[in-house]
């Protein structure tokens, strides 16, 4: 089975290796300013404030619960934080390709796609969710080196080493304060980079 072949090595990734990758990335990402670049002149500036970079090592322990991180995903291996201001290109959002999102004060204020119809459809779908679905909920960095490629399933693809994922909507399971009926994870393209101060995190 192709899915088993893809996932089993990642599920069996060493706890020690994951902890080392998470710790190294957390240290690198502590510096400000935090910036994501996705090409086409898009720059998304992250306002971390006093939020911590949470590490998902595949288990929830007392330290995770104290930080507000209540959910772990398998395969493990990522860090995540809250986001904010500027523009980002998303390869695919709810079936619409090459979507440009503009954020101001942590919320989507503009959506651009290849057509006005697609933009209107996407905007309407997004706003159909309760709470604040336009709120940037998280930025996640994949750290599982046992994954070799993306498979089109964000729950798995976001763990690929070096992949950056932007979350929208509810983030209470990650220690955030935004409530929404939407939890959406947008895996950015392979060209996406994350910089913390003068350090290249991804």
């Amino acid at each position: 089975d192709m899915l088993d072949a893809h996932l089993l090595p990642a599920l069996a990734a060493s706890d020690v290796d994951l902890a080392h990758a998470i710790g190294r990335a957390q240290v690198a990402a502590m510096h400000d300013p935090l910036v994501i670049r996705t090409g086409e002149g898009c720059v998304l500036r992250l306002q971390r404030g006093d939020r911590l970079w949470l590490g998902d090592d595949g288990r929830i322990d007392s330290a995770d619960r104290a930080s507000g991180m209540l959910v772990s995903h398998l395969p493990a291996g990522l860090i995540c934080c809250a986001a904010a201001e500027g523009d980002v290109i998303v390869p695919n959002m709810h079936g619409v390709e090459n979507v440009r999102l503009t954020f101001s004060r942590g919320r989507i204020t503009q959506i651009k796609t290849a057509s006005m119809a697609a933009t209107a459809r996407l905007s309407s779908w997004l706003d159909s969710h309760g709470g604040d679905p336009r709120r940037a909920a998280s930025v996640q960095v994949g750290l599982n080196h046992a994954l070799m490629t993306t498979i089109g399933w964000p729950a798995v693809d976001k763990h690929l080493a070096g992949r950056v994922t932007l979350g929208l909507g509810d983030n209470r399971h990650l220690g955030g304060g935004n409530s929404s009926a939407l939890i959406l994870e947008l895996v950015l393209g392979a060209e996406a980079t994350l910089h913390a101060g003068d350090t290249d995190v991804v």
Side-chain angles (χ1 to χ4, degrees), residues 42-81:
C42 288
V43 177
L44 183 66
R45 294 175 177 83
L46 315 179
Q47 297 175 354
R48 184 172 55 84
D50 58 358
R51 290 288 301 276
L52 301 174
W53 280 97
L54 306 178
D56 184 359
D57 57 4
R59 55 176 59 88
I60 298 295
D61 57 22
S62 58
D64 292 323
R65 288 190 290 272
S67 68
M69 186 172 184
L70 306 178
V71 175
S72 178
H73 298 89
L74 295 176
L78 59 79
I79 59 174
C80 54
C81 186

Side-chain angles (χ1 to χ4, degrees), residues 25 27-35 53 194-202:
V27 170
M30 287 300 291
H31 305 287
D32 290 319
L34 293 168
V35 175
W53 280 97
L194 173 62
H195 307 277
D198 296 327
T199 303
D200 296 336
V201 181
V202 174

Side-chain angles (χ1 to χ4, degrees), residues 121-178:
R121 186 171 68 251
L122 188 56
S123 182
S124 178
W125 171 80
L126 189 62
D127 292 335
S128 70
H129 297 84
D132 194 353
R134 289 178 174 253
R135 176 71 57 183
S138 66
V139 170
Q140 304 178 28
V141 179
L143 298 169
N144 195 315
H145 290 273
L147 288 172
M148 296 294 103
T149 185
T150 57
I151 60 173
W153 186 6
V156 173
D157 294 346
K158 67 180 183 178
H159 295 90
L160 184 72
R163 196 51 58 104
V164 180
T165 298
L166 175 65
L168 296 179
D170 201 295
N171 63 2
R172 291 171 294 174
H173 59 295
L174 298 174
N178 191 50

